[in-house]
Coordinates of all heavy atoms in Angstrom, one line a residue:
P1 N 63.3 21.5 4.6 CA 61.9 21.9 4.1 C 61.6 21.2 2.8 O 62.3 21.0 1.9 CB 62.1 23.4 3.9 CG 63.1 23.9 4.7 CD 64.1 22.7 4.7
G2 N 60.4 20.7 2.7 CA 59.8 19.9 1.5 C 59.9 18.4 1.8 O 59.2 17.7 1.1
F3 N 60.7 17.9 2.8 CA 60.8 16.4 3.1 C 59.3 16.0 3.6 O 59.1 14.8 3.4 CB 61.8 16.2 4.1 CG 62.1 14.7 4.3 CD1 62.8 13.9 3.4 CD2 61.4 14.1 5.4 CE1 62.8 12.6 3.6 CE2 61.6 12.8 5.7 CZ 62.3 12.0 4.7
G4 N 58.6 16.8 4.2 CA 57.4 16.4 4.7 C 56.4 15.8 3.7 O 55.7 14.8 3.8
R5 N 56.3 16.5 2.5 CA 55.5 16.0 1.4 C 56.0 14.6 1.0 O 55.2 13.8 0.7 CB 55.6 17.0 0.3 CG 54.7 16.6 -0.9 CD 54.7 17.8 -2.0 NE 55.9 17.7 -2.8 CZ 56.9 18.5 -2.7 NH1 56.9 19.5 -1.8 NH2 58.0 18.4 -3.5
A6 N 57.4 14.5 0.9 CA 57.9 13.2 0.4 C 57.6 12.1 1.4 O 57.3 10.9 1.1 CB 59.5 13.4 0.2
L7 N 57.7 12.4 2.7 CA 57.4 11.5 3.7 C 56.0 11.1 3.7 O 55.7 9.8 3.8 CB 57.7 12.1 5.2 CG 57.4 11.3 6.4 CD1 58.3 10.0 6.4 CD2 57.6 12.1 7.6
Y8 N 55.1 11.9 3.5 CA 53.6 11.7 3.4 C 53.4 10.6 2.2 O 52.6 9.7 2.5 CB 52.9 12.9 3.0 CG 51.3 12.8 2.8 CD1 50.4 12.5 3.8 CD2 51.0 12.8 1.4 CE1 49.1 12.3 3.4 CE2 49.5 12.5 1.1 CZ 48.7 12.3 2.2 OH 47.4 12.0 1.8
H9 N 54.0 10.9 1.0 CA 53.7 9.9 0.0 C 54.4 8.6 0.2 O 53.9 7.5 -0.2 CB 54.2 10.6 -1.3 CG 53.3 11.6 -1.7 ND1 52.0 11.4 -2.2 CD2 53.5 12.9 -1.9 CE1 51.4 12.5 -2.6 NE2 52.3 13.5 -2.4
F10 N 55.4 8.6 1.0 CA 56.1 7.3 1.4 C 55.3 6.4 2.3 O 55.2 5.1 2.0 CB 57.5 7.5 2.0 CG 58.2 6.3 2.4 CD1 58.7 5.4 1.4 CD2 58.4 6.0 3.6 CE1 59.4 4.3 1.7 CE2 59.1 4.9 4.1 CZ 59.6 4.0 3.1
I11 N 54.6 7.0 3.3 CA 54.0 6.1 4.3 C 52.4 6.0 3.8 O 51.7 5.4 4.5 CB 54.0 6.8 5.7 CG1 53.3 8.1 5.7 CG2 55.4 6.9 6.1 CD1 53.3 8.8 7.2
L12 N 52.0 6.8 2.8 CA 50.6 6.7 2.5 C 50.0 5.4 2.2 O 48.8 5.2 2.5 CB 50.4 7.6 1.3 CG 48.9 7.8 0.8 CD1 48.1 8.5 1.8 CD2 48.9 8.7 -0.6
P13 N 50.7 4.4 1.6 CA 50.1 3.0 1.5 C 49.5 2.5 2.8 O 48.4 1.7 2.7 CB 51.3 2.2 1.1 CG 52.1 3.2 0.2 CD 52.0 4.5 1.2
L14 N 50.0 2.9 3.9 CA 49.4 2.4 5.2 C 48.1 2.9 5.6 O 47.4 2.4 6.3 CB 50.4 2.7 6.3 CG 51.7 1.9 6.3 CD1 52.7 2.6 7.4 CD2 51.5 0.5 6.7
F15 N 47.8 4.1 4.9 CA 46.6 4.9 5.3 C 45.7 5.1 4.3 O 44.7 6.0 4.5 CB 47.1 6.2 6.0 CG 48.1 6.0 7.1 CD1 49.4 6.4 6.8 CD2 47.9 5.3 8.3 CE1 50.4 6.2 7.8 CE2 48.9 5.1 9.2 CZ 50.2 5.5 9.0
K16 N 45.7 4.5 3.1 CA 44.8 4.8 2.0 C 43.4 4.6 2.4 O 42.5 5.2 1.7 CB 45.2 4.0 0.8 CG 46.5 4.6 0.1 CD 46.7 3.8 -1.3 CE 47.7 4.6 -2.1 NZ 48.0 3.8 -3.4
S17 N 43.1 3.7 3.3 CA 41.7 3.5 3.6 C 41.0 4.4 4.5 O 39.8 4.5 4.9 CB 41.5 2.1 4.2 OG 42.2 2.0 5.4
W18 N 41.9 5.3 5.1 CA 41.5 6.3 6.0 C 40.6 7.4 5.4 O 40.8 7.7 4.2 CB 42.7 6.9 6.7 CG 43.3 6.1 7.7 CD1 43.1 4.8 7.9 CD2 44.2 6.6 8.8 NE1 43.9 4.3 9.0 CE2 44.6 5.4 9.5 CE3 44.8 7.7 9.2 CZ2 45.4 5.4 10.6 CZ3 45.5 7.8 10.3 CH2 45.9 6.7 11.0
P19 N 39.6 7.9 6.0 CA 38.8 9.0 5.4 C 39.5 10.3 5.3 O 40.6 10.5 5.8 CB 37.7 9.2 6.5 CG 38.2 8.8 7.8 CD 39.2 7.7 7.4
A20 N 39.0 11.1 4.3 CA 39.7 12.3 3.9 C 40.0 13.2 5.1 O 41.1 13.9 5.1 CB 38.8 13.1 2.8
N21 N 39.2 13.4 6.0 CA 39.4 14.2 7.2 C 40.6 13.8 8.0 O 41.4 14.5 8.6 CB 38.2 14.5 8.0 CG 37.7 13.2 8.7 OD1 37.9 12.1 8.2 ND2 37.0 13.4 9.8
R22 N 40.8 12.6 8.0 CA 41.9 12.0 8.8 C 43.2 12.1 8.0 O 44.3 12.3 8.5 CB 41.6 10.4 9.1 CG 42.7 9.9 10.1 CD 43.1 10.7 11.4 NE 41.9 10.8 12.1 CZ 41.6 10.0 13.1 NH1 42.1 8.9 13.3 NH2 40.5 10.3 13.9
L23 N 43.1 11.9 6.7 CA 44.3 12.0 5.8 C 44.8 13.5 5.8 O 46.0 13.6 5.7 CB 43.9 11.7 4.4 CG 43.9 10.2 4.2 CD1 43.5 9.9 2.6 CD2 45.3 9.5 4.4
R24 N 44.0 14.4 6.1 CA 44.4 15.8 6.3 C 45.4 15.8 7.4 O 46.5 16.6 7.4 CB 43.4 16.7 6.6 CG 42.5 17.3 5.5 CD 41.4 18.1 6.0 NE 41.9 19.4 6.4 CZ 41.9 19.9 7.7 NH1 41.3 19.1 8.7 NH2 42.3 21.0 8.0
I25 N 45.1 15.1 8.6 CA 46.0 15.3 9.7 C 47.2 14.4 9.5 O 48.4 14.8 10.0 CB 45.1 14.6 10.9 CG1 43.9 15.3 11.2 CG2 46.0 14.8 12.2 CD1 43.9 16.8 11.3
V26 N 47.2 13.4 8.7 CA 48.4 12.6 8.4 C 49.3 13.6 7.6 O 50.6 13.7 7.8 CB 48.1 11.4 7.6 CG1 49.3 10.7 6.9 CG2 47.3 10.5 8.3
R27 N 48.8 14.3 6.6 CA 49.6 15.2 5.8 C 50.2 16.4 6.7 O 51.3 16.7 6.7 CB 48.8 15.9 4.8 CG 49.6 16.8 3.8 CD 48.8 17.4 2.7 NE 48.3 16.4 1.7 CZ 48.9 16.1 0.6 NH1 49.9 16.8 0.2 NH2 48.4 15.3 -0.3
A28 N 49.4 16.9 7.7 CA 49.8 17.9 8.6 C 50.9 17.4 9.5 O 52.0 18.0 9.7 CB 48.7 18.5 9.5
A29 N 50.9 16.2 10.0 CA 51.8 15.5 10.8 C 53.2 15.4 10.1 O 54.2 15.7 10.6 CB 51.4 14.2 11.2
C30 N 53.1 14.9 8.9 CA 54.4 14.8 8.0 C 55.0 16.1 7.9 O 56.2 16.2 7.9 CB 54.0 14.1 6.7 SG 53.6 12.4 6.8
L31 N 54.2 17.1 7.6 CA 54.8 18.5 7.5 C 55.5 19.0 8.7 O 56.5 19.7 8.7 CB 53.8 19.5 7.0 CG 53.2 19.3 5.5 CD1 51.9 20.2 5.3 CD2 54.3 19.7 4.5
L32 N 54.9 18.6 9.9 CA 55.4 19.1 11.2 C 56.4 18.2 11.9 O 56.9 18.4 12.9 CB 54.3 19.4 12.2 CG 53.2 20.4 11.7 CD1 52.1 20.5 12.8 CD2 53.9 21.8 11.5
H33 N 56.7 17.0 11.3 CA 57.4 15.9 11.9 C 58.8 16.3 12.4 O 59.3 15.8 13.4 CB 57.6 14.7 10.9 CG 58.7 14.7 10.1 ND1 59.8 14.1 10.3 CD2 58.9 15.4 8.9 CE1 60.8 14.3 9.4 NE2 60.2 15.1 8.5
D34 N 59.5 17.3 11.9 CA 60.7 17.6 12.2 C 60.9 19.1 12.6 O 62.1 19.6 12.8 CB 61.6 17.3 10.9 CG 63.1 17.5 11.1 OD1 63.4 16.9 12.1 OD2 63.9 18.2 10.5
V35 N 59.9 19.9 12.8 CA 60.0 21.3 13.1 C 60.6 21.6 14.6 O 61.0 22.7 14.8 CB 58.8 22.1 12.8 CG1 58.3 22.0 11.4 CG2 57.6 21.6 13.9
N36 N 60.6 20.6 15.4 CA 61.1 20.8 16.7 C 62.4 20.1 16.9 O 62.8 19.7 18.1 CB 60.1 20.2 17.7 CG 58.7 21.0 17.9 OD1 57.8 20.6 17.3 ND2 58.8 22.2 18.5
W37 N 63.2 20.1 15.9 CA 64.5 19.3 15.9 C 65.4 19.9 16.8 O 66.5 19.3 17.4 CB 65.1 19.1 14.6 CG 65.4 20.4 13.8 CD1 64.7 21.1 13.1 CD2 66.7 21.0 13.9 NE1 65.4 22.2 12.6 CE2 66.6 22.2 13.0 CE3 68.0 20.6 14.4 CZ2 67.8 23.0 12.8 CZ3 69.0 21.5 14.2 CH2 68.9 22.6 13.4
R38 N 65.3 21.4 17.1 CA 66.3 22.1 18.0 C 66.1 21.7 19.4 O 66.9 22.1 20.3 CB 66.1 23.5 17.7 CG 66.7 23.9 16.4 CD 66.6 25.5 16.3 NE 67.1 25.9 15.0 CZ 66.4 26.1 13.8 NH1 65.1 25.7 13.8 NH2 67.0 26.5 12.8
A39 N 64.9 21.1 19.8 CA 64.7 20.8 21.2 C 65.7 19.6 21.6 O 66.2 18.9 20.9 CB 63.3 20.3 21.4
H40 N 66.0 19.6 22.9 CA 66.8 18.6 23.5 C 66.3 17.2 23.2 O 65.1 17.0 23.4 CB 67.0 18.9 25.0 CG 68.1 17.9 25.6 ND1 67.9 16.6 25.9 CD2 69.3 18.2 26.0 CE1 69.0 16.0 26.4 NE2 69.9 17.1 26.5
P41 N 67.1 16.3 22.8 CA 66.6 14.9 22.3 C 65.7 14.3 23.4 O 64.8 13.5 23.1 CB 67.9 14.2 22.0 CG 68.8 15.2 21.6 CD 68.6 16.4 22.5
D42 N 66.1 14.6 24.7 CA 65.4 13.9 25.8 C 64.0 14.4 25.9 O 63.0 13.8 26.5 CB 66.0 14.2 27.1 CG 67.3 13.3 27.2 OD1 67.6 12.4 26.3 OD2 68.1 13.6 28.1
Y43 N 63.7 15.6 25.4 CA 62.4 16.3 25.5 C 61.7 16.6 24.2 O 60.7 17.2 24.1 CB 62.6 17.5 26.4 CG 63.2 17.3 27.7 CD1 64.5 17.7 28.0 CD2 62.5 16.7 28.7 CE1 65.1 17.4 29.1 CE2 63.1 16.5 29.9 CZ 64.4 16.8 30.2 OH 64.9 16.6 31.4
R44 N 62.3 16.1 23.1 CA 61.8 16.4 21.8 C 60.4 16.0 21.5 O 59.6 16.7 21.0 CB 62.7 15.9 20.7 CG 62.6 16.5 19.3 CD 63.6 16.0 18.4 NE 64.9 16.6 18.7 CZ 66.1 16.1 18.4 NH1 66.2 15.0 17.8 NH2 67.3 16.7 18.9
H45 N 60.0 14.8 22.1 CA 58.8 14.3 22.0 C 57.8 15.1 22.7 O 56.6 15.3 22.2 CB 58.6 12.8 22.5 CG 58.9 12.7 24.0 ND1 60.2 12.8 24.6 CD2 58.1 12.4 25.0 CE1 60.1 12.7 25.8 NE2 58.8 12.5 26.1
E46 N 58.2 15.7 23.9 CA 57.3 16.6 24.6 C 57.1 17.9 23.8 O 55.9 18.4 23.8 CB 57.8 16.8 26.0 CG 57.9 15.6 26.8 CD 58.2 16.0 28.4 OE1 58.5 17.1 28.6 OE2 58.2 15.0 29.1
A47 N 58.0 18.4 23.2 CA 58.1 19.7 22.5 C 57.1 19.5 21.3 O 56.3 20.3 21.0 CB 59.5 20.1 22.0
C48 N 57.1 18.3 20.7 CA 56.3 18.1 19.5 C 54.8 18.0 20.0 O 54.0 18.7 19.4 CB 56.7 16.7 18.9 SG 58.2 16.8 18.0

């Protein structure tokens, strides 16, 4: 917990030109990027 915020700031240089409404989704994605880690690796992408 908390790594999502750090991840967001690490990848932000790629998306600085994106509009504010899309940056919200970038932040949300970083916060959720690891919450399905308990799923089987073969299906983790589907669970996400």
Side-chain angles (χ1 to χ4, degrees):
F3 184 80
R5 186 177 75 253
L7 178 61
Y8 172 78
H9 289 292
F10 178 69
I11 67 174
L12 184 60
L14 290 168
F15 310 109
K16 279 189 172 179
S17 64
W18 284 18
N21 62 336
R22 184 54 60 84
L23 282 177
R24 283 180 68 244
I25 308 303
V26 175
R27 188 181 286 266
C30 290
L31 291 167
L32 298 178
H33 86 99
D34 190 46
V35 300
N36 291 103
W37 66 273
R38 289 182 178 85
H40 189 283
D42 290 349
Y43 304 104
R44 200 170 286 156
H45 64 289
E46 294 188 0
C48 287

